[in-house]
Amino acid sequence: MSTSEKPQEEKKDSGTYEAGCHCGYIKFSVTLSPPLPEYKVLDCNCSACTHLGYLLVYPKATEVTWHNNSRERCASYRFNTKQKDQMFCPKCGASLGIDFKDTRKPHTYGISARTFYGIDLDGLAYKKSNGVNLVEPNEDLSGHTWDEEKQVLK
């Protein structure tokens, strides 16, 4: 069979990926449409994405399956508007993503592609976002949420 006679490889509408933290305490699977690497992963320069290492994909909550009560196992951090959980593993500290339950309908997650097992990050397509200037307040919030005097998050 010549190369011109080979059947065309079908493009998949979606792909499911196993993901989790570094130590394995948090595990989940994510279905994305379109699948990686056709999906445009968000590479944002806001203080949270920069410091937490996020490269985000945005599946609906129905497209994320948490294994062994992993969502309940997540530690969370809220800052600025205090409306979104930044999710972490409480054992190894791995940054997992954002739970937009209270801010986006339908319920959506921002899951870091860094949590996907066996993914070549260099082979992904990225969409750059200037989040530091798009999200109020328009400034770098890193280092400004801890009140040293009161020993609490502002």
Side-chain angles (χ1 to χ4, degrees):
M1 182 183 278
S2 73
T3 56
S4 62
E5 294 174 344
K6 286 185 182 177
Q8 291 287 324
E9 193 173 307
E10 287 187 42
K11 274 195 152 188
K12 292 184 179 181
D13 290 337
S14 65
T16 300
Y17 306 90
E18 294 303 314
C21 67
H22 188 260
C23 72
Y25 183 67
I26 307 291
K27 291 184 179 181
F28 52 97
S29 53
V30 178
T31 300
L32 293 177
S33 181
L36 294 173
E38 290 86 21
Y39 193 102
K40 294 274 190 188
V41 177
L42 186 71
D43 183 1
C44 177
N45 69 355
C46 77
S47 62
C49 290
T50 300
H51 284 77
L52 303 175
Y54 290 152
L55 296 171
L56 295 172
V57 296
Y58 292 91
K60 292 178 187 150
T62 56
E63 298 166 329
V64 178
T65 302
W66 297 94
H67 306 302
N68 301 317
N69 294 318
S70 284
R71 177 61 186 101
E72 290 78 16
R73 291 178 172 188
C74 289
S76 63
Y77 163 64
R78 288 183 172 205
F79 74 103
N80 193 15
T81 64
K82 312 271 191 295
Q83 295 178 332
K84 307 175 284 259
D85 285 343
Q86 311 295 317
M87 301 177 295
F88 299 88
C89 174
K91 304 294 183 189
C92 68
S95 179
L96 306 167
I98 307 164
D99 187 344
F100 291 102
K101 183 177 184 177
D102 297 331
T103 60
R104 290 191 182 179
K105 302 295 179 212
H107 180 194
T108 303
Y109 289 105
I111 300 291
S112 182
R114 294 182 187 278
T115 65
F116 290 15
Y117 299 133
I119 296 296
D120 176 13
L121 294 174
D122 290 334
L124 300 180
Y126 294 97
K127 175 185 176 185
K128 296 281 189 179
S129 175
N130 188 11
V132 74
N133 291 311
L134 295 175
V135 179
E136 293 289 331
N138 297 349
E139 62 182 300
D140 184 350
L141 296 177
S142 52
H144 299 287
T145 59
W146 181 254
D147 186 323
E148 191 66 39
E149 186 177 307
K150 295 178 182 175
Q151 294 290 299
V152 296
L153 289 172
K154 295 178 189 174

